[in-house]
Amino acid sequence: MDAWGSLRARDLGATARREVRTVAGGFRLEIAAVRAPLRRGLVEPEGMDARLEYLGETVALAADLGAKTLVVEAGQVPDKPESPGGRALAQSLSHLAPLAERYGLAVALVTGLEGGEVLAKLLEPWAPEVLGVAFDPANWMTHGFDPSAELSAVAARVRIAHARDARKSSPSRAALDVPLGEGDVPWPLLLAHLDAFGYMGWVSACEAGERPRPEAMAAALGVLRGWLAGPG
């Protein structure tokens, strides 16, 4: 669920939050994660106070909705930790970690813009239950990484997996606008790797667009369920 627009945390009071949980429960659904869209990530110092305030509100919203993960696209980890962007990122994570721990959930950074070892090193000071990753192999692939090779470095920190497909090409909406199972992401292999690493969390079917198409999501869920069921 995206915490934006009419679902932005500051626009959802306690009654509305209970209603969202009630409606979801009526359809036997759980909210696996809440995504906090950011235009400028966590590496741009300007305007950081407002972004952290929004994220703090969204952590509380996620907890109220029963979600155990808040998904954040932080931006590319700077090469130099002492750079303005590097300091901004470190300070942001230091601010978010105690909030996540207080509310009993994890903040998960989306994979894709840097290798697994770089991301693992960034998150090393914090427990995986507090700061983890949202495993997005399609995003990794379109940025020139091999998701099968990168996964091991962050496997212990995976809090949710985004099941979408992609072509091996430049990072673009077109490269990601591929039906699940028809692209180049080796999903059966990756699911086997996740299982071997002991991952027991959600695998969420996703689309590249901001407004998922119901028929495309239904088809993706069918493919995903087939993979998860295994042979036979």
Side-chain angles (χ1 to χ4, degrees):
M1 184 188 108
D2 280 2
W4 198 249
S6 60
L7 295 176
R8 189 179 173 117
R10 65 183 54 176
D11 297 325
L12 281 181
T15 300
R17 297 178 188 204
R18 286 194 298 270
E19 187 174 344
V20 170
R21 290 195 70 167
T22 299
V23 171
F27 287 96
R28 295 185 295 176
L29 297 174
E30 294 180 47
I31 297 176
V34 172
R35 188 176 77 98
L38 295 174
R39 290 192 182 94
R40 302 167 76 180
L42 298 177
V43 297
E44 173 56 57
E46 185 179 353
M48 184 62 74
D49 288 346
R51 292 197 293 280
L52 291 179
E53 180 181 7
Y54 161 66
L55 289 174
E57 294 169 347
T58 310
V59 166
L61 171 65
D64 287 344
L65 296 179
K68 294 299 182 182
T69 303
L70 178 70
V71 176
V72 176
E73 294 187 57
Q76 186 170 9
V77 177
D79 293 333
K80 297 180 179 180
E82 68 278 7
S83 67
R87 290 197 300 270
L89 180 56
Q91 290 167 2
S92 299
L93 296 179
S94 295
H95 175 84
L96 290 171
L99 284 175
E101 187 170 18
R102 183 192 312 164
Y103 283 97
L105 52 76
V107 173
L109 306 188
V110 179
T111 63
L113 299 181
E114 58 281 307
E117 290 187 0
V118 173
L119 200 51
K121 184 176 181 180
L122 170 71
L123 299 176
E124 191 174 16
W126 299 281
E129 296 78 17
V130 174
L131 288 181
V133 302
F135 177 49
D136 191 333
N139 202 26
W140 251 335
M141 178 169 285
T142 58
H143 286 90
F145 295 98
D146 177 357
S148 300
E150 302 299 335
L151 174 58
S152 61
V154 296
R157 291 188 179 271
V158 175
R159 313 302 343 141
I160 190 168
H162 291 167
R164 56 180 181 160
D165 223 325
R167 301 290 186 193
K168 289 181 180 178
S169 61
S170 60
S172 65
R173 179 63 56 82
L176 288 165
D177 192 16
V178 180
L180 189 64
E182 298 182 20
D184 298 317
V185 177
W187 267 108
L189 175 63
L190 294 172
L191 290 170
H193 285 344
L194 286 171
D195 184 60
F197 285 122
Y199 179 65
M200 301 290 289
W202 292 98
V203 181
S204 174
C206 301
E207 273 202 296
E210 294 181 359
R211 296 183 178 179
R213 298 162 295 176
E215 66 280 3
M217 294 300 294
L221 284 172
V223 172
L224 183 56
R225 287 179 180 133
W227 288 334
L228 291 172

mmCIF file of all heavy atoms in Angstrom, residues 8 17 21-22 44 49 64-65 67 74 80 95 109 123 149 154 182 195 206 216 218 224:
data_model
loop_
_atom_site.group_PDB
_atom_site.id
_atom_site.type_symbol
_atom_site.label_atom_id
_atom_site.label_comp_id
_atom_site.label_asym_id
_atom_site.label_seq_id
_atom_site.Cartn_x
_atom_site.Cartn_y
_atom_site.Cartn_z
ATOM 1 N N ARG A 8 -2.260 9.166 2.677
ATOM 2 C CA ARG A 8 -1.137 9.760 3.392
ATOM 3 C C ARG A 8 -1.431 9.730 4.894
ATOM 4 O O ARG A 8 -2.564 9.944 5.337
ATOM 5 C CB ARG A 8 -0.924 11.193 2.913
ATOM 6 C CG ARG A 8 0.344 11.849 3.427
ATOM 7 C CD ARG A 8 0.459 13.256 2.873
ATOM 8 N NE ARG A 8 1.577 13.977 3.475
ATOM 9 C CZ ARG A 8 2.631 14.420 2.811
ATOM 10 N NH1 ARG A 8 2.712 14.221 1.524
ATOM 11 N NH2 ARG A 8 3.586 15.068 3.423
ATOM 12 N N ARG A 17 -8.061 4.470 9.950
ATOM 13 C CA ARG A 17 -7.086 3.377 9.973
ATOM 14 C C ARG A 17 -7.746 2.063 10.399
ATOM 15 O O ARG A 17 -7.464 1.001 9.818
ATOM 16 C CB ARG A 17 -5.919 3.738 10.899
ATOM 17 C CG ARG A 17 -5.147 4.948 10.415
ATOM 18 C CD ARG A 17 -4.016 5.359 11.350
ATOM 19 N NE ARG A 17 -3.461 6.645 10.911
ATOM 20 C CZ ARG A 17 -2.241 7.062 11.185
ATOM 21 N NH1 ARG A 17 -1.430 6.326 11.907
ATOM 22 N NH2 ARG A 17 -1.832 8.237 10.742
ATOM 23 N N ARG A 21 -8.196 -1.522 8.085
ATOM 24 C CA ARG A 21 -7.895 -2.873 8.556
ATOM 25 C C ARG A 21 -9.140 -3.757 8.515
ATOM 26 O O ARG A 21 -9.065 -4.939 8.160
ATOM 27 C CB ARG A 21 -7.335 -2.830 9.973
ATOM 28 C CG ARG A 21 -5.950 -2.233 10.082
ATOM 29 C CD ARG A 21 -5.308 -2.538 11.420
ATOM 30 N NE ARG A 21 -4.954 -3.955 11.543
ATOM 31 C CZ ARG A 21 -4.163 -4.436 12.499
ATOM 32 N NH1 ARG A 21 -3.644 -3.606 13.411
ATOM 33 N NH2 ARG A 21 -3.872 -5.718 12.563
ATOM 34 N N THR A 22 -10.290 -3.187 8.856
ATOM 35 C CA THR A 22 -11.529 -3.959 8.854
ATOM 36 C C THR A 22 -11.902 -4.391 7.444
ATOM 37 O O THR A 22 -12.285 -5.549 7.211
ATOM 38 C CB THR A 22 -12.676 -3.135 9.474
ATOM 39 O OG1 THR A 22 -12.345 -2.811 10.827
ATOM 40 C CG2 THR A 22 -13.977 -3.910 9.432
ATOM 41 N N GLU A 44 19.654 13.499 -0.327
ATOM 42 C CA GLU A 44 19.614 14.925 -0.648
ATOM 43 C C GLU A 44 19.370 15.694 0.650
ATOM 44 O O GLU A 44 18.281 15.644 1.223
ATOM 45 C CB GLU A 44 18.507 15.208 -1.652
ATOM 46 C CG GLU A 44 18.266 16.687 -1.918
ATOM 47 C CD GLU A 44 19.510 17.414 -2.369
ATOM 48 O OE1 GLU A 44 20.096 17.001 -3.382
ATOM 49 O OE2 GLU A 44 19.907 18.377 -1.674
ATOM 50 N N ASP A 49 14.307 17.487 6.719
ATOM 51 C CA ASP A 49 13.446 17.499 7.908
ATOM 52 C C ASP A 49 12.001 17.146 7.555
ATOM 53 O O ASP A 49 11.347 16.374 8.271
ATOM 54 C CB ASP A 49 13.495 18.867 8.588
ATOM 55 C CG ASP A 49 14.812 19.122 9.290
ATOM 56 O OD1 ASP A 49 15.573 18.155 9.482
ATOM 57 O OD2 ASP A 49 15.085 20.286 9.654
ATOM 58 N N ASP A 64 -0.129 0.886 12.644
ATOM 59 C CA ASP A 64 -1.570 0.889 12.903
ATOM 60 C C ASP A 64 -2.323 -0.021 11.940
ATOM 61 O O ASP A 64 -3.381 -0.567 12.279
ATOM 62 C CB ASP A 64 -2.125 2.308 12.805
ATOM 63 C CG ASP A 64 -1.736 3.178 13.989
ATOM 64 O OD1 ASP A 64 -1.296 2.620 15.020
ATOM 65 O OD2 ASP A 64 -1.866 4.414 13.873
ATOM 66 N N LEU A 65 -1.796 -0.181 10.727
ATOM 67 C CA LEU A 65 -2.452 -1.022 9.727
ATOM 68 C C LEU A 65 -2.028 -2.488 9.818
ATOM 69 O O LEU A 65 -2.495 -3.318 9.050
ATOM 70 C CB LEU A 65 -2.159 -0.484 8.317
ATOM 71 C CG LEU A 65 -2.712 0.915 8.015
ATOM 72 C CD1 LEU A 65 -2.332 1.337 6.606
ATOM 73 C CD2 LEU A 65 -4.220 0.969 8.194
ATOM 74 N N ALA A 67 1.007 -3.652 9.254
ATOM 75 C CA ALA A 67 2.131 -3.982 8.377
ATOM 76 C C ALA A 67 3.414 -4.085 9.193
ATOM 77 O O ALA A 67 3.606 -3.346 10.155
ATOM 78 C CB ALA A 67 2.287 -2.928 7.291
ATOM 79 N N ALA A 74 15.631 4.924 -0.959
ATOM 80 C CA ALA A 74 16.503 5.906 -0.317
ATOM 81 C C ALA A 74 17.356 6.685 -1.304
ATOM 82 O O ALA A 74 17.851 7.761 -0.978
ATOM 83 C CB ALA A 74 17.416 5.209 0.697
ATOM 84 N N LYS A 80 31.297 8.171 -1.092
ATOM 85 C CA LYS A 80 32.036 8.683 0.049
ATOM 86 C C LYS A 80 31.074 8.947 1.212
ATOM 87 O O LYS A 80 30.234 9.843 1.142
ATOM 88 C CB LYS A 80 32.761 9.979 -0.322
ATOM 89 C CG LYS A 80 33.810 9.794 -1.421
ATOM 90 C CD LYS A 80 34.497 11.107 -1.747
ATOM 91 C CE LYS A 80 35.557 10.913 -2.840
ATOM 92 N NZ LYS A 80 36.241 12.191 -3.167
ATOM 93 N N HIS A 95 17.977 8.183 12.434
ATOM 94 C CA HIS A 95 16.703 8.728 12.912
ATOM 95 C C HIS A 95 15.581 7.692 12.800
ATOM 96 O O HIS A 95 14.730 7.577 13.703
ATOM 97 C CB HIS A 95 16.349 9.973 12.099
ATOM 98 C CG HIS A 95 15.010 10.558 12.418
ATOM 99 N ND1 HIS A 95 14.797 11.424 13.469
ATOM 100 C CD2 HIS A 95 13.787 10.383 11.822
ATOM 101 C CE1 HIS A 95 13.528 11.768 13.512
ATOM 102 N NE2 HIS A 95 12.889 11.154 12.524
ATOM 103 N N LEU A 109 14.974 -0.775 2.620
ATOM 104 C CA LEU A 109 15.457 0.001 1.481
ATOM 105 C C LEU A 109 15.391 -0.854 0.220
ATOM 106 O O LEU A 109 15.840 -2.000 0.219
ATOM 107 C CB LEU A 109 16.894 0.469 1.721
ATOM 108 C CG LEU A 109 17.167 1.241 3.017
ATOM 109 C CD1 LEU A 109 18.599 1.798 2.999
ATOM 110 C CD2 LEU A 109 16.157 2.361 3.239
ATOM 111 N N LEU A 123 24.027 -0.841 6.094
ATOM 112 C CA LEU A 123 23.063 -1.224 7.117
ATOM 113 C C LEU A 123 23.684 -1.978 8.288
ATOM 114 O O LEU A 123 22.985 -2.284 9.262
ATOM 115 C CB LEU A 123 21.966 -2.089 6.478
ATOM 116 C CG LEU A 123 21.150 -1.408 5.378
ATOM 117 C CD1 LEU A 123 20.164 -2.401 4.772
ATOM 118 C CD2 LEU A 123 20.411 -0.191 5.906
ATOM 119 N N ALA A 149 23.650 -13.035 -7.898
ATOM 120 C CA ALA A 149 24.949 -12.851 -7.251
ATOM 121 C C ALA A 149 24.873 -11.863 -6.092
ATOM 122 O O ALA A 149 25.599 -11.988 -5.105
ATOM 123 C CB ALA A 149 25.972 -12.370 -8.275
ATOM 124 N N VAL A 154 22.769 -9.598 1.186
ATOM 125 C CA VAL A 154 21.685 -8.961 1.951
ATOM 126 C C VAL A 154 20.577 -9.942 2.323
ATOM 127 O O VAL A 154 19.535 -9.535 2.835
ATOM 128 C CB VAL A 154 21.083 -7.777 1.171
ATOM 129 C CG1 VAL A 154 22.104 -6.669 0.977
ATOM 130 C CG2 VAL A 154 20.515 -8.229 -0.180
ATOM 131 N N GLU A 182 7.896 -13.328 -18.270
ATOM 132 C CA GLU A 182 8.245 -13.119 -19.671
ATOM 133 C C GLU A 182 9.509 -12.292 -19.855
ATOM 134 O O GLU A 182 9.869 -11.963 -20.982
ATOM 135 C CB GLU A 182 7.077 -12.449 -20.404
ATOM 136 C CG GLU A 182 5.809 -13.293 -20.421
ATOM 137 C CD GLU A 182 4.676 -12.652 -21.185
ATOM 138 O OE1 GLU A 182 4.953 -11.749 -22.012
ATOM 139 O OE2 GLU A 182 3.506 -13.039 -20.965
ATOM 140 N N ASP A 195 14.506 -19.346 -0.292
ATOM 141 C CA ASP A 195 14.131 -20.466 0.561
ATOM 142 C C ASP A 195 15.359 -21.042 1.272
ATOM 143 O O ASP A 195 15.316 -21.333 2.474
ATOM 144 C CB ASP A 195 13.442 -21.541 -0.276
ATOM 145 C CG ASP A 195 12.944 -22.700 0.572
ATOM 146 O OD1 ASP A 195 12.107 -22.474 1.464
ATOM 147 O OD2 ASP A 195 13.406 -23.841 0.363
ATOM 148 N N CYS A 206 4.201 -7.120 -8.277
ATOM 149 C CA CYS A 206 4.257 -5.669 -8.489
ATOM 150 C C CYS A 206 4.219 -5.357 -9.978
ATOM 151 O O CYS A 206 4.550 -6.200 -10.813
ATOM 152 C CB CYS A 206 5.544 -5.087 -7.895
ATOM 153 S SG CYS A 206 5.755 -5.369 -6.130
ATOM 154 N N ALA A 216 -3.543 -7.534 -15.138
ATOM 155 C CA ALA A 216 -2.114 -7.850 -15.128
ATOM 156 C C ALA A 216 -1.693 -8.418 -13.779
ATOM 157 O O ALA A 216 -0.894 -9.358 -13.709
ATOM 158 C CB ALA A 216 -1.301 -6.602 -15.456
ATOM 159 N N ALA A 218 -3.628 -10.047 -11.680
ATOM 160 C CA ALA A 218 -4.189 -11.395 -11.558
ATOM 161 C C ALA A 218 -3.321 -12.409 -12.293
ATOM 162 O O ALA A 218 -3.057 -13.516 -11.789
ATOM 163 C CB ALA A 218 -5.615 -11.422 -12.108
ATOM 164 N N LEU A 224 3.149 -16.397 -10.150
ATOM 165 C CA LEU A 224 3.879 -16.473 -8.885
ATOM 166 C C LEU A 224 3.443 -17.684 -8.063
ATOM 167 O O LEU A 224 4.287 -18.399 -7.497
ATOM 168 C CB LEU A 224 3.649 -15.184 -8.103
ATOM 169 C CG LEU A 224 4.389 -15.029 -6.769
ATOM 170 C CD1 LEU A 224 5.890 -15.178 -6.954
ATOM 171 C CD2 LEU A 224 4.050 -13.678 -6.147
#
